[in-house]
Amino acid sequence: MQSTVTPTHCPYCALQCGMNLTPVPDGTVEVSERADFPVNRGALCGKGRTAAAVLAREARLNSPLVRDEGGTLVPASWDEALDRIAAGLGRTRAEHGPDAVGVFGGGGLTNEKAYTLGKFARVVLGTSQIDYNGRFCMSSAAAAGIKAFGLDRGLPFPLEDIPKSGCVILVGSNLAETMPPSLRFFTELKDNGGTLIVIDPRRTKTAEQADLHLAPRPGTDLALALGLLHLVIAEGRVDEEYVRERTAGWEDARAAAMAHWPEYVERITGVSVPQLRQTVRMFCEPESAMVLTARGPEQQSKGTDTVGAWINLCLATGRAGRPLSGYGCLTGQGNGQGGREHGQKADQLPGYRKLDDPAARAHVAGVWGVDPDSLPGPGRSAYELLDALGTDIRSLLLMASNPVVSAPRAAHIEERIRSLDFLAVCDVVLSETAALADVVLPVTQWAEETGTTTNLEGRVLLRRRAITPPEGIRSDLEVLHELAARLGVEKGFPTDPEEVFEELRRASAGGAADYSGITYRRLVEEDGVFWPCPAAVEAVDAGGAPAQETSAAHPGTPRLFLDRFATPDGRARFVPVSHRAIAEEPDDEYPVLLTTGRVVAQYQSGAQTRRVAELNAAAPGPFVELHPRLAARLGAAEGDPVAVVSRRGRAVAPARITNTIRPDTVFMPFHWPGEGRANTLTNPALDPTSRMPEFKACAVRLEAVES
């Protein structure tokens, strides 16, 4: 057992907080503060502090499992488990074609794993059917950012810029619970004389910190942004010189915004005209300002347009591509940013290249040593892939995701998963999805492996191995290496993460997300490097790879767009958008709106955090948050079981009565399976551009339940 302290990063959210790990006699690690990392400066939330608990033997998978003739998962050897997976995937491919095999990844996979998974799907399996759960996270913001700026990176500036700005509008984010260490940046903003505006239908712990809280009806963020832009125009607050010199498409966007007069927007959103005017004044009067969005406006069937409207507000007021100003997305999952850059998304190749771009295909195929024509085209998005299970897609390899709990219309997705001919899952715990598999493989965790992640700022980081994994546990890279060999591809799938990263550098070179100037050595010495970071000098080693180091290394790019945007002419694009209703408005049968989200002590589907006693004590189970007036109509008291019913199913959880939520809205956290599974209810209506499901708003009714 090592005795040294290993500096590394938290396995949970996209802050990727720095922490120190020290091995302890039980084979796990002790987590301690790491004050030198600028994102959290030593601060850790409860999830980070208790992250080592999931390393314990009793919390995790310790052996491969295979389903026996009686239908029970039983321990098996690695050879038997891998042979079964190769046979299952190979049989489906032989009988039904490569696109009958699906691959589903996760936003928690390291860059090396995400890269290798995408390569495995396209080179070994030959399937186009690969996507990942990050599609459910920030895909609408990504699509809007590419339309407007030509590039998607969660934040185009470091978090350290936030306290120095004059005003921040935070749309649909409860970061006091979802990423608590980041709240200090907003506290410092106020201490420095800046203002914070929070937009959320609930008065959350984050909203309590705001100088102004707007509580719009769920699903109306698009109208709200358009109403604010209308007022900016009407009050003469447009930065005409900036619009003329640095943007294109203003006239059409202006015309669309002018159709959303304040009184009309007030009727749609429930936000009063005086509040709209106050917001515009607070946002426009300082020299600098930012808009930051999260899942609230993004997880809608019009999420791309909604984010686009907030970007238009920034552009019209000259608040993008300038110091201490801009639009940014608060990415959620640990490697949600890197996970969508390197090939596990249905339409992408490494380096954030488009799969349907012939030049991109040729470049990546050259790195992989395959014919560009052999690479399949774009496949289905995440929900569409899951919906096709058991019909067009007959077998599935799934890594680091738990769609039985996390997918919209979850009961239907569970049914589709059960209908598969074959399911293989790689995970660290026996999740609800893994429990349905034919084969389950136990894989290494964050503290037991080395690899890179990319945080919400676009800062590439190195997670470092602190302890040796228990006997019987293998890495995802080893799994893909072994499966590739069994399926006839002997080379090209190394198990050493640094070797994989060196190949990723070559594959990403020249792409939008260019990592070619980043090395493991630099990540250690500089504590992270912001992409894009191209190789500074055309220096290569004997094998054609970018040289490990050059005398003039590119410094990385902490702040994007200061000189030009990533469009062909360097100008940002206004995209004209107009308000439209959510896919499922309330009616007489389903008169209430449901919105979903997270609580501070649990994470995502809860597969890992629900195994930590301290976290379960703080957040033991699901609940239904509702306003006292709604509770009175239902006859429900605090703690009474309440049924929430949508067109897709029924969930039951205890009532939590509070006046911090709108009377026409109920809220449920989505971390739990079973009777209280919130995603049983949610609507899979998809954004036409991002293919994001509408998690944040659907019509429901409430029913009293006999206790």
Side-chain angles (χ1 to χ4, degrees), residues 388-408:
L389 299 180
T391 53
D392 293 342
I393 300 173
R394 310 294 293 269
S395 293
L396 181 69
L397 173 64
L398 184 145
M399 285 186 167
S401 187
N402 189 18
V404 164
V405 178
S406 63

Side-chain angles (χ1 to χ4, degrees), residues 14-52:
L15 287 179
Q16 288 296 279
C17 291
M19 57 172 57
N20 287 321
L21 303 182
T22 305
V24 292
D26 68 2
T28 66
V29 293
E30 179 179 85
V31 175
S32 59
E33 294 181 355
R34 180 183 164 198
D36 63 328
F37 187 60
V39 169
N40 63 309
R41 298 183 207 165
L44 294 170
C45 73
K47 295 184 290 291
R49 286 189 296 98
T50 61

Side-chain angles (χ1 to χ4, degrees), residues 131-264:
D131 210 75
Y132 82 126
N133 62 16
R135 178 78 66 171
F136 299 157
C137 188
M138 73 298 291
S139 58
S140 292
I146 290 169
K147 283 185 177 184
F149 307 131
L151 183 70
D152 155 49
R153 195 181 84 184
L155 293 180
F157 41 72
L159 284 163
E160 66 187 35
D161 284 3
I162 290 173
K164 304 169 189 173
S165 188
C167 176
V168 174
I169 300 179
L170 190 60
V171 190
S173 172
N174 183 17
L175 52 81
E177 296 201 61
T178 58
M179 43 182 67
S182 70
L183 189 62
R184 51 178 285 274
F185 292 103
F186 299 87
T187 302
E188 290 175 12
L189 166 76
K190 296 179 64 179
D191 291 343
N192 291 340
T195 55
L196 175 62
I197 301 169
V198 172
I199 298 172
D200 198 301
R202 305 163 61 220
R203 187 166 180 80
T204 63
K205 291 181 179 179
T206 306
E208 290 173 357
Q209 307 299 313
D211 297 284
L212 176 63
H213 171 220
L214 309 181
R217 185 172 178 266
T220 64
D221 311 88
L222 174 53
L224 180 60
L226 287 163
L228 296 175
L229 182 53
H230 178 111
L231 285 171
V232 164
I233 298 166
E235 295 177 2
R237 297 181 184 270
V238 175
D239 188 332
E240 300 286 357
E241 181 181 2
Y242 174 93
V243 168
R244 184 172 57 254
E245 294 182 355
R246 298 205 60 188
T247 72
W250 168 234
E251 290 305 319
D252 288 343
R254 182 186 187 280
M258 291 309 291
H260 298 77
W261 59 94
E263 292 76 14
Y264 171 58

Side-chain angles (χ1 to χ4, degrees), residues 115 350-351 353 363-364 367-368 502-511:
Y115 170 84
R353 288 180 160 90
H363 173 84
V364 174
V367 174
W368 290 351
E502 289 301 304
E503 183 178 305
L504 184 157
R505 292 176 64 204
R506 300 198 301 274
S508 74

